[in-house]
Amino acid sequence: MTHSHLTDAEKKELSGIAKAIVAPGKGLLAADEPPKTMENRFSSIGVENTEENRRAYREVLFTTDKSISANLGGVILFHETVYHKTSDGIPFIKLLQDIGIIPGIQADKGVVPLAGTNGETTTQGLDGLAERCKEYKKAGCLFAKWRCVLKIGDGMPSELAVKENANVLARYASICQANGIVPIVEPDILADGEHDLEACIEASQRVLSAVYKALLDHHVYLEGTLLKPNMVIPGYSCEKKYTPEQVAVATVTVFQHTIPVAVPGIAFLSGGQSEVVATVNLNAINKYKACKPWALTFCYGRALQTSVLKAWKGKKENVPAAQSVFMHRAKCNSLASVGKYEGEDAA
Ligand code: 13P
């Protein structure tokens, strides 16, 4: 077997957390937008990007009716949110724990240029990661996320970018597990560009096979991990159009070729797909009849929040409407995660 440094009890804890996050009908909310990203989100609705407004917005999300926990197994937080409280003084982490949603943390420190490539990147944040994991675990976070970004087109993703990003994801995952934290491994192949579905199939296959080779080389315990990949879709500027069924076949086939059955769950990023398209594609993936030994669910940022932000607009009187929009999207995606979404009105 492998040279795992983890005890049986540690492995059991990690695999238990991973399974609970992606239990049937559950997915994740990615609410870990850094303050800089919140600037864009808030400017679209005319809200000033202050720490208090970011806190108030997350309070809207986390105080949604507790029945939302049937649809959400985990929420990813940004550092400052870990220590935020509701206006009544309840720590967000406690709020989530009390309704059975597992809090997690964005563990990386952002994307940086990879010298010698055509504008490709790697992700930094390994320095001090073990200490940060200890701190976050003490605060109640049981899992983490680390995002690497790859691009398609003109010799990309290059071998260097594929190898470097696979390796840094593996180092991160290994450090998380040594500190009792389930790593969500996120190799995000951007859908920007004119490339067709075939190009995304090819890139996804190269990236995912390199990621699992690196995870195994680093003795990462796969049962105690989750994957957060892109769906296998054509570039947004591709002229040729594909059906959700074609996306489902491409996505599942690539995964069959590259993702070990030991991995308990795959939670997709939405990556700029509209809310409804992200739900429809997830549903098609789950409806497609094939060997799929993993939970296939959602870990959406924009596709769970775009209409919530629009409904909220920073106003107290809009909170109930915003929460009901959030509940609706979570429910639609929960249905899609078991292949039972039948349209917006049926949810
Ligand atoms: P999107 O679903 O908006 O792509 O965000 C998910 C995420 O957390 C990216 O790391």
Side-chain angles (χ1 to χ4, degrees):
M1 277 286 287
T2 63
H3 304 276
S4 180
H5 51 289
L6 302 169
T7 65
D8 286 348
E10 287 166 342
K11 287 182 182 173
K12 198 171 161 207
E13 185 193 359
L14 291 169
S15 68
I17 295 166
K19 273 193 215 136
I21 295 170
V22 296
K26 294 191 183 189
L28 296 96
L29 165 68
D32 60 327
E33 300 87 352
K36 226 170 99 192
T37 307
M38 289 310 290
E39 176 74 40
N40 300 333
R41 304 281 188 271
F42 279 174
S43 72
S44 71
I45 54 164
V47 171
E48 200 191 340
N49 184 26
T50 60
E51 182 168 352
E52 170 49 23
N53 283 342
R54 294 192 294 273
R55 189 209 61 75
Y57 171 60
R58 266 79 186 233
E59 178 167 347
V60 175
L61 297 173
F62 306 155
T63 55
T64 296
D65 188 82
K66 62 182 187 311
S67 62
I68 202 164
S69 62
N71 312 134
L72 288 181
V75 172
I76 315 176
L77 308 171
F78 186 76
H79 176 82
E80 69 179 14
T81 314
V82 171
Y83 305 99
H84 280 163
K85 298 176 179 167
T86 63
S87 35
D88 300 339
I90 306 167
F92 284 166
I93 294 247
K94 181 169 169 11
L95 206 61
L96 294 169
Q97 287 168 334
D98 284 353
I99 59 170
I101 296 178
I102 300 176
I105 179 71
Q106 180 186 114
D108 67 69
K109 296 268 186 187
V111 163
V112 287
L114 189 54
T117 63
N118 183 17
E120 295 181 279
T121 58
T122 183
T123 299
Q124 62 187 358
L126 291 177
D127 286 4
L129 178 60
E131 289 68 32
R132 297 207 303 284
C133 282
K134 286 185 181 74
E135 177 194 334
Y136 292 134
K137 175 113 191 202
K138 218 193 276 168
C141 296
L142 302 186
F143 70 96
K145 178 195 102 169
W146 179 292
R147 175 172 179 254
C148 281
V149 178
L150 296 122
K151 298 180 198 171
I152 296 180
D154 209 10
M156 298 184 291
S158 66
E159 256 328 280
L160 176 62
V162 169
K163 280 207 176 117
E164 158 59 22
N165 283 290
N167 197 65
V168 80
L169 282 167
R171 278 289 292 137
Y172 140 78
S174 149
I175 293 167
C176 283
Q177 290 194 331
N179 290 284
I181 295 234
V182 167
I184 295 188
V185 173
E186 181 178 7
D188 177 357
I189 307 173
L190 300 180
D192 300 328
E194 296 174 357
H195 59 269
D196 61 10
L197 188 61
E198 276 304 315
C200 189
I201 291 174
E202 199 265 343
S204 301
Q205 212 146 258
R206 277 175 60 215
V207 167
L208 291 173
S209 54
V211 165
Y212 283 100
K213 168 83 169 84
L215 290 173
L216 286 170
D217 286 348
H218 284 256
H219 313 297
V220 171
Y221 175 59
L222 296 183
E223 290 83 345
T225 66
L226 294 169
L227 178 72
K228 176 167 175 173
N230 50 284
M231 290 180 189
V232 179
I233 55 175
Y236 291 133
S237 309
C238 178
E239 282 181 4
K240 190 168 168 194
K241 298 297 164 211
Y242 299 83
T243 63
E245 289 69 32
Q246 287 173 305
V247 166
V249 174
T251 301
V252 172
T253 306
V254 166
F255 289 1
Q256 287 172 334
H257 293 175
T258 55
I259 305 175
V261 300
V263 175
I266 299 168
F268 294 100
L269 58 96
S270 58
Q273 300 182 80
S274 75
E275 290 181 334
V276 173
V277 169
T279 305
V280 166
N281 281 340
L282 179 63
N283 191 56
I285 287 166
N286 279 293
K287 273 185 97 162
Y288 174 48
K289 290 203 184 346
C291 178
K292 298 175 293 184
W294 334 267
L296 288 157
T297 188
F298 58 94
C299 181
Y300 294 163
R302 284 163 286 179
L304 270 174
Q305 295 183 64
T306 305
S307 54
V308 181
L309 279 160
K310 267 193 209 143
W312 177 56
K313 288 198 184 72
K315 298 201 167 82
K316 262 211 175 87
E317 63 270 27
N318 293 340
V319 169
Q323 290 181 332
S324 95
V325 168
F326 181 43
M327 184 72 109
H328 174 71
R329 280 267 55 83
K331 192 147 177 241
C332 287
N333 286 306
S334 167
L335 287 167
S337 76
V338 290
K340 293 196 170 147
Y341 170 72
E342 289 177 352
E344 291 297 293
D345 297 335

